[in-house]
Amino acid sequence: MSKHICTRWAFDLSTWRPTLPQLTQAVSAIQPEERVRLMKFHFIDDFLSSLIGRLLMRKFVSTCSGENYHQVQFARDVRGKPYWVQQKAKTTTTALSFNVSHQGKLVVLAGIRGSPTDGEFGIGADVMKIEHNSGKSLTEFFRLMQSKFSTQEWNYICRPQHNERAQLKAFMRHWCLKEAYVKELGVGITVDLQQINFSVDTTHALEEAVSPLCASSLRYNGTPMTQWHFEEHLLTPTYCAAIAFRNCQPEQHAKFEFLRLEQLLEHSSNEKQPELMDYCKQALLKPYKQQ
Ligand code: COA
Ligand code: MG
């Protein structure tokens, strides 16, 4: 299996309270149908999470392919998974796969770049905050989630040496791995989650210092899925993430790089467009969630 150059970017939304000029510049870089979609969110937090995800995708594709920042085009497949619509013939460009995830204050993108001769490969990513705010006890929360994991996975999550915090962290590690896998496939919730059985890397506890852990493995319906590789990350003490690699492996295992807003906006147009300013004024009226 060939090795690929992997990009891991994260953005911390708590570092950004958008001003009108910044938001206008950011919004100028996304496609009109995405603007329509974003405006439907009730909370500005969701608007911004999704917007940052689009900017990460654009920066990734433009950087890897050399295509002009504003000319990069994305579309969504029938299940909503975004993909890059290449302008040039496939054989003359770089083969790319990427996936975005957002939760709470974090937005992440994992991307991978190969060559057109590599054959089919892909990547999926998921980020989760290690908390459950269902208003229920952990036992009750786990009971509701029973069907999401296999018996072996539950045995690990609820190990006697795990206190409640450790159980929740173990739960979220499995959740991220499963979501990253499902998101690579792009199949949403249509797979039988209990047939997906992860054995998490237990060489170390998942802490920021040792992140990423790379020895987690997957069996599907009892069969080892050897064409898959996984990275498990702890980005902050309370946010974990996983990346699923299908038919590819990263050249190097590395941590997520936190980007600043300026790095996301460096290629976007700063032109004053009155209709975009009106759109952004309207967006800035949306309420923030109570944290
Ligand atoms: N496949 C992969 N990626 C997709 C996708 C799909 N079908 N549809 C959208 N995406 C991308 C988009 O970039 C999207 O961002 P956007 O909403 O701003 O456009 C991003 O992934 C969303 O990912 P994430 O933030 O991780 O959202 P999610 O975890 O709420 O949802 C889904 C992920 C929608 C793709 C889908 O996997 C889902 O419904 N998951 C929940 C199902 C479940 O029960 N999982 C249990 C796992 S244990
Ligand atoms: Mg998710």
Side-chain angles (χ1 to χ4, degrees), residues 37 50 76 79-82 99-102 126 148-149 175 178-179 182-183 186 188-189 193:
R37 190 180 61 87
S50 201
R76 289 181 186 260
R79 295 194 171 87
K81 185 175 182 177
N99 196 221
V100 161
S101 179
H102 39 72
D126 196 56
K148 307 278 185 192
F149 297 115
W175 183 281
K178 215 164 263 203
E179 274 285 292
V182 164
K183 288 183 71 188
I189 48 170
L193 295 171

mmCIF file of all heavy atoms in Angstrom, residues 37 50 76 79-82 99-102 126 148-149 175 178-179 182-183 186 188-189 193, ligand 1:
data_model
loop_
_atom_site.group_PDB
_atom_site.id
_atom_site.type_symbol
_atom_site.label_atom_id
_atom_site.label_comp_id
_atom_site.label_asym_id
_atom_site.label_seq_id
_atom_site.Cartn_x
_atom_site.Cartn_y
_atom_site.Cartn_z
ATOM 1 N N ARG A 37 -27.527 27.470 2.022
ATOM 2 C CA ARG A 37 -27.608 26.433 3.066
ATOM 3 C C ARG A 37 -27.238 27.009 4.434
ATOM 4 O O ARG A 37 -27.924 26.773 5.428
ATOM 5 C CB ARG A 37 -26.665 25.278 2.704
ATOM 6 C CG ARG A 37 -26.820 24.049 3.563
ATOM 7 C CD ARG A 37 -25.843 22.959 3.139
ATOM 8 N NE ARG A 37 -24.472 23.373 3.260
ATOM 9 C CZ ARG A 37 -23.754 23.264 4.381
ATOM 10 N NH1 ARG A 37 -24.275 22.717 5.448
ATOM 11 N NH2 ARG A 37 -22.521 23.696 4.423
ATOM 12 N N SER A 50 -19.704 25.422 9.763
ATOM 13 C CA SER A 50 -19.831 24.893 8.420
ATOM 14 C C SER A 50 -19.046 25.751 7.416
ATOM 15 O O SER A 50 -18.384 25.231 6.509
ATOM 16 C CB SER A 50 -21.315 24.851 8.061
ATOM 17 O OG SER A 50 -21.534 23.954 7.032
ATOM 18 N N ARG A 76 -21.791 17.944 -4.058
ATOM 19 C CA ARG A 76 -22.085 16.941 -3.031
ATOM 20 C C ARG A 76 -22.680 15.721 -3.706
ATOM 21 O O ARG A 76 -23.455 15.859 -4.653
ATOM 22 C CB ARG A 76 -23.088 17.487 -2.015
ATOM 23 C CG ARG A 76 -22.505 18.566 -1.108
ATOM 24 C CD ARG A 76 -23.570 19.039 -0.124
ATOM 25 N NE ARG A 76 -23.129 20.156 0.667
ATOM 26 C CZ ARG A 76 -22.674 20.075 1.922
ATOM 27 N NH1 ARG A 76 -22.594 18.902 2.530
ATOM 28 N NH2 ARG A 76 -22.318 21.148 2.581
ATOM 29 N N ARG A 79 -25.579 11.548 -0.927
ATOM 30 C CA ARG A 79 -25.697 11.525 0.535
ATOM 31 C C ARG A 79 -25.127 12.783 1.182
ATOM 32 O O ARG A 79 -24.971 12.853 2.391
ATOM 33 C CB ARG A 79 -25.015 10.293 1.096
ATOM 34 C CG ARG A 79 -25.699 9.029 0.655
ATOM 35 C CD ARG A 79 -25.240 7.848 1.456
ATOM 36 N NE ARG A 79 -26.054 6.694 1.158
ATOM 37 C CZ ARG A 79 -25.804 5.859 0.169
ATOM 38 N NH1 ARG A 79 -24.765 6.034 -0.599
ATOM 39 N NH2 ARG A 79 -26.579 4.813 -0.052
ATOM 40 N N GLY A 80 -24.765 13.740 0.366
ATOM 41 C CA GLY A 80 -24.331 15.033 0.918
ATOM 42 C C GLY A 80 -22.838 15.163 1.106
ATOM 43 O O GLY A 80 -22.352 16.192 1.579
ATOM 44 N N LYS A 81 -22.077 14.112 0.747
ATOM 45 C CA LYS A 81 -20.626 14.180 0.951
ATOM 46 C C LYS A 81 -19.976 15.073 -0.104
ATOM 47 O O LYS A 81 -20.119 14.832 -1.305
ATOM 48 C CB LYS A 81 -20.029 12.777 0.880
ATOM 49 C CG LYS A 81 -18.549 12.752 1.192
ATOM 50 C CD LYS A 81 -18.021 11.337 1.234
ATOM 51 C CE LYS A 81 -16.549 11.344 1.588
ATOM 52 N NZ LYS A 81 -16.013 10.002 1.715
ATOM 53 N N PRO A 82 -19.245 16.088 0.344
ATOM 54 C CA PRO A 82 -18.640 16.996 -0.637
ATOM 55 C C PRO A 82 -17.470 16.341 -1.375
ATOM 56 O O PRO A 82 -16.720 15.567 -0.787
ATOM 57 C CB PRO A 82 -18.122 18.164 0.215
ATOM 58 C CG PRO A 82 -18.782 18.029 1.547
ATOM 59 C CD PRO A 82 -19.034 16.568 1.723
ATOM 60 N N ASN A 99 -11.940 15.134 4.063
ATOM 61 C CA ASN A 99 -13.207 15.109 4.787
ATOM 62 C C ASN A 99 -13.138 16.080 5.965
ATOM 63 O O ASN A 99 -12.102 16.199 6.616
ATOM 64 C CB ASN A 99 -13.504 13.678 5.264
ATOM 65 C CG ASN A 99 -14.957 13.448 5.683
ATOM 66 O OD1 ASN A 99 -15.212 12.785 6.678
ATOM 67 N ND2 ASN A 99 -15.918 13.988 4.932
ATOM 68 N N VAL A 100 -14.240 16.747 6.186
ATOM 69 C CA VAL A 100 -14.337 17.772 7.235
ATOM 70 C C VAL A 100 -15.225 17.247 8.360
ATOM 71 O O VAL A 100 -16.142 16.472 8.124
ATOM 72 C CB VAL A 100 -14.968 19.053 6.620
ATOM 73 C CG1 VAL A 100 -15.532 19.972 7.679
ATOM 74 C CG2 VAL A 100 -13.950 19.788 5.753
ATOM 75 N N SER A 101 -14.951 17.693 9.569
ATOM 76 C CA SER A 101 -15.856 17.399 10.679
ATOM 77 C C SER A 101 -15.868 18.594 11.621
ATOM 78 O O SER A 101 -14.848 19.278 11.778
ATOM 79 C CB SER A 101 -15.384 16.142 11.414
ATOM 80 O OG SER A 101 -16.237 15.851 12.496
ATOM 81 N N HIS A 102 -17.027 18.849 12.224
ATOM 82 C CA HIS A 102 -17.064 19.946 13.195
ATOM 83 C C HIS A 102 -17.936 19.569 14.363
ATOM 84 O O HIS A 102 -18.968 18.927 14.228
ATOM 85 C CB HIS A 102 -17.529 21.261 12.562
ATOM 86 C CG HIS A 102 -18.622 21.144 11.553
ATOM 87 N ND1 HIS A 102 -19.923 20.862 11.886
ATOM 88 C CD2 HIS A 102 -18.602 21.260 10.194
ATOM 89 C CE1 HIS A 102 -20.652 20.837 10.786
ATOM 90 N NE2 HIS A 102 -19.882 21.066 9.739
ATOM 91 N N ASP A 126 -13.523 12.472 11.832
ATOM 92 C CA ASP A 126 -14.568 12.861 12.778
ATOM 93 C C ASP A 126 -13.945 13.446 14.031
ATOM 94 O O ASP A 126 -12.931 12.957 14.511
ATOM 95 C CB ASP A 126 -15.443 11.661 13.150
ATOM 96 C CG ASP A 126 -16.744 12.121 13.796
ATOM 97 O OD1 ASP A 126 -17.467 12.920 13.171
ATOM 98 O OD2 ASP A 126 -17.037 11.696 14.931
ATOM 99 N N LYS A 148 -25.103 1.021 18.945
ATOM 100 C CA LYS A 148 -24.055 1.623 18.101
ATOM 101 C C LYS A 148 -22.758 0.826 18.121
ATOM 102 O O LYS A 148 -21.912 0.996 17.246
ATOM 103 C CB LYS A 148 -23.741 3.058 18.567
ATOM 104 C CG LYS A 148 -24.943 3.964 18.686
ATOM 105 C CD LYS A 148 -25.356 4.551 17.355
ATOM 106 C CE LYS A 148 -26.478 5.543 17.527
ATOM 107 N NZ LYS A 148 -27.099 5.927 16.267
ATOM 108 N N PHE A 149 -22.574 0.010 19.180
ATOM 109 C CA PHE A 149 -21.289 -0.676 19.340
ATOM 110 C C PHE A 149 -21.470 -2.174 19.533
ATOM 111 O O PHE A 149 -22.525 -2.644 19.966
ATOM 112 C CB PHE A 149 -20.519 -0.093 20.537
ATOM 113 C CG PHE A 149 -20.162 1.363 20.372
ATOM 114 C CD1 PHE A 149 -20.708 2.327 21.212
ATOM 115 C CD2 PHE A 149 -19.301 1.784 19.377
ATOM 116 C CE1 PHE A 149 -20.393 3.671 21.052
ATOM 117 C CE2 PHE A 149 -18.975 3.119 19.215
ATOM 118 C CZ PHE A 149 -19.528 4.063 20.052
ATOM 119 N N TRP A 175 -16.515 6.106 19.000
ATOM 120 C CA TRP A 175 -17.481 6.868 18.180
ATOM 121 C C TRP A 175 -16.769 7.531 16.993
ATOM 122 O O TRP A 175 -17.204 7.424 15.846
ATOM 123 C CB TRP A 175 -18.165 7.919 19.054
ATOM 124 C CG TRP A 175 -19.213 8.678 18.297
ATOM 125 C CD1 TRP A 175 -18.996 9.697 17.414
ATOM 126 C CD2 TRP A 175 -20.620 8.443 18.313
ATOM 127 N NE1 TRP A 175 -20.196 10.128 16.893
ATOM 128 C CE2 TRP A 175 -21.207 9.380 17.423
ATOM 129 C CE3 TRP A 175 -21.448 7.553 19.002
ATOM 130 C CZ2 TRP A 175 -22.581 9.443 17.203
ATOM 131 C CZ3 TRP A 175 -22.823 7.624 18.774
ATOM 132 C CH2 TRP A 175 -23.375 8.547 17.885
ATOM 133 N N LYS A 178 -15.573 5.023 14.398
ATOM 134 C CA LYS A 178 -16.682 4.481 13.609
ATOM 135 C C LYS A 178 -17.209 5.524 12.626
ATOM 136 O O LYS A 178 -17.474 5.234 11.463
ATOM 137 C CB LYS A 178 -17.780 4.024 14.572
ATOM 138 C CG LYS A 178 -18.496 2.810 14.093
ATOM 139 C CD LYS A 178 -19.292 2.133 15.187
ATOM 140 C CE LYS A 178 -18.518 0.996 15.797
ATOM 141 N NZ LYS A 178 -19.376 -0.011 16.455
ATOM 142 N N GLU A 179 -17.327 6.749 13.112
ATOM 143 C CA GLU A 179 -17.798 7.826 12.237
ATOM 144 C C GLU A 179 -16.809 8.104 11.109
ATOM 145 O O GLU A 179 -17.213 8.338 9.972
ATOM 146 C CB GLU A 179 -18.018 9.104 13.053
ATOM 147 C CG GLU A 179 -19.380 9.198 13.697
ATOM 148 C CD GLU A 179 -20.460 9.542 12.679
ATOM 149 O OE1 GLU A 179 -20.457 10.665 12.148
ATOM 150 O OE2 GLU A 179 -21.286 8.659 12.409
ATOM 151 N N VAL A 182 -17.276 5.392 8.602
ATOM 152 C CA VAL A 182 -18.546 5.555 7.888
ATOM 153 C C VAL A 182 -18.490 6.770 6.948
ATOM 154 O O VAL A 182 -19.014 6.742 5.843
ATOM 155 C CB VAL A 182 -19.685 5.695 8.934
ATOM 156 C CG1 VAL A 182 -20.948 6.243 8.315
ATOM 157 C CG2 VAL A 182 -19.972 4.355 9.589
ATOM 158 N N LYS A 183 -17.796 7.817 7.397
ATOM 159 C CA LYS A 183 -17.721 9.021 6.572
ATOM 160 C C LYS A 183 -16.816 8.830 5.361
ATOM 161 O O LYS A 183 -17.019 9.453 4.333
ATOM 162 C CB LYS A 183 -17.279 10.217 7.412
ATOM 163 C CG LYS A 183 -18.395 10.682 8.379
ATOM 164 C CD LYS A 183 -17.993 11.903 9.159
ATOM 165 C CE LYS A 183 -17.937 13.128 8.269
ATOM 166 N NZ LYS A 183 -17.354 14.282 8.981
ATOM 167 N N GLY A 186 -19.014 7.286 3.126
ATOM 168 C CA GLY A 186 -20.036 8.256 2.712
ATOM 169 C C GLY A 186 -21.445 7.727 2.835
ATOM 170 O O GLY A 186 -22.375 8.290 2.273
ATOM 171 N N GLY A 188 -23.341 7.441 5.562
ATOM 172 C CA GLY A 188 -24.197 7.925 6.641
ATOM 173 C C GLY A 188 -24.543 6.802 7.586
ATOM 174 O O GLY A 188 -23.678 6.012 7.967
ATOM 175 N N ILE A 189 -25.802 6.695 7.955
ATOM 176 C CA ILE A 189 -26.170 5.741 9.005
ATOM 177 C C ILE A 189 -26.716 4.422 8.447
ATOM 178 O O ILE A 189 -27.311 3.647 9.164
ATOM 179 C CB ILE A 189 -27.204 6.359 9.976
ATOM 180 C CG1 ILE A 189 -28.351 7.016 9.204
ATOM 181 C CG2 ILE A 189 -26.553 7.376 10.887
ATOM 182 C CD1 ILE A 189 -29.506 7.429 10.076
ATOM 183 N N LEU A 193 -23.947 -0.801 12.442
ATOM 184 C CA LEU A 193 -22.819 -0.346 13.265
ATOM 185 C C LEU A 193 -22.256 -1.459 14.161
ATOM 186 O O LEU A 193 -21.090 -1.433 14.519
ATOM 187 C CB LEU A 193 -23.239 0.856 14.118
ATOM 188 C CG LEU A 193 -23.590 2.124 13.336
ATOM 189 C CD1 LEU A 193 -24.187 3.177 14.248
ATOM 190 C CD2 LEU A 193 -22.367 2.688 12.618
HETATM 191 N N1 COA B 1 -20.240 11.301 4.225
HETATM 192 C C1 COA B 1 -19.091 11.878 4.607
HETATM 193 N N2 COA B 1 -18.952 13.189 4.876
HETATM 194 C C2 COA B 1 -20.055 13.955 4.759
HETATM 195 C C3 COA B 1 -21.309 13.426 4.371
HETATM 196 C C4 COA B 1 -21.363 12.027 4.091
HETATM 197 N N3 COA B 1 -22.491 11.428 3.725
HETATM 198 N N4 COA B 1 -22.215 14.417 4.345
HETATM 199 C C5 COA B 1 -21.566 15.545 4.706
HETATM 200 N N5 COA B 1 -20.257 15.268 4.950
HETATM 201 C C6 COA B 1 -19.160 16.155 5.339
HETATM 202 C C7 COA B 1 -19.494 17.617 5.150
HETATM 203 O O1 COA B 1 -18.287 18.327 4.948
HETATM 204 C C8 COA B 1 -20.103 17.974 6.466
HETATM 205 O O2 COA B 1 -19.974 19.342 6.771
HETATM 206 P P1 COA B 1 -21.238 20.316 6.519
HETATM 207 O O3 COA B 1 -22.363 19.726 7.300
HETATM 208 O O4 COA B 1 -20.768 21.619 7.068
HETATM 209 O O5 COA B 1 -21.442 20.310 5.057
HETATM 210 C C9 COA B 1 -19.296 17.161 7.450
HETATM 211 O O6 COA B 1 -18.938 15.963 6.741
HETATM 212 C C10 COA B 1 -20.094 16.828 8.687
HETATM 213 O O7 COA B 1 -19.366 15.941 9.473
HETATM 214 P P2 COA B 1 -19.514 15.976 11.064
HETATM 215 O O8 COA B 1 -19.316 17.366 11.528
HETATM 216 O O9 COA B 1 -18.632 14.957 11.627
HETATM 217 O O10 COA B 1 -21.059 15.684 11.251
HETATM 218 P P3 COA B 1 -21.883 14.490 11.895
HETATM 219 O O11 COA B 1 -20.955 13.650 12.698
HETATM 220 O O12 COA B 1 -23.034 15.079 12.563
HETATM 221 O O13 COA B 1 -22.494 13.729 10.667
HETATM 222 C C11 COA B 1 -22.770 12.343 8.723
HETATM 223 C C12 COA B 1 -21.847 12.918 9.819
HETATM 224 C C13 COA B 1 -23.901 13.263 8.384
HETATM 225 C C14 COA B 1 -21.940 12.210 7.522
HETATM 226 C C15 COA B 1 -23.269 10.933 9.018
HETATM 227 O O14 COA B 1 -22.180 10.075 9.202
HETATM 228 C C16 COA B 1 -24.193 10.759 10.178
HETATM 229 O O15 COA B 1 -25.382 10.930 10.080
HETATM 230 N N6 COA B 1 -23.653 10.354 11.301
HETATM 231 C C17 COA B 1 -24.328 10.065 12.530
HETATM 232 C C18 COA B 1 -24.820 8.633 12.516
HETATM 233 C C19 COA B 1 -24.508 7.763 13.696
HETATM 234 O O16 COA B 1 -25.362 7.342 14.422
HETATM 235 N N7 COA B 1 -23.240 7.435 13.912
HETATM 236 C C20 COA B 1 -22.850 6.566 14.970
HETATM 237 C C21 COA B 1 -21.390 6.296 14.923
HETATM 238 S S1 COA B 1 -20.922 5.317 16.283
#
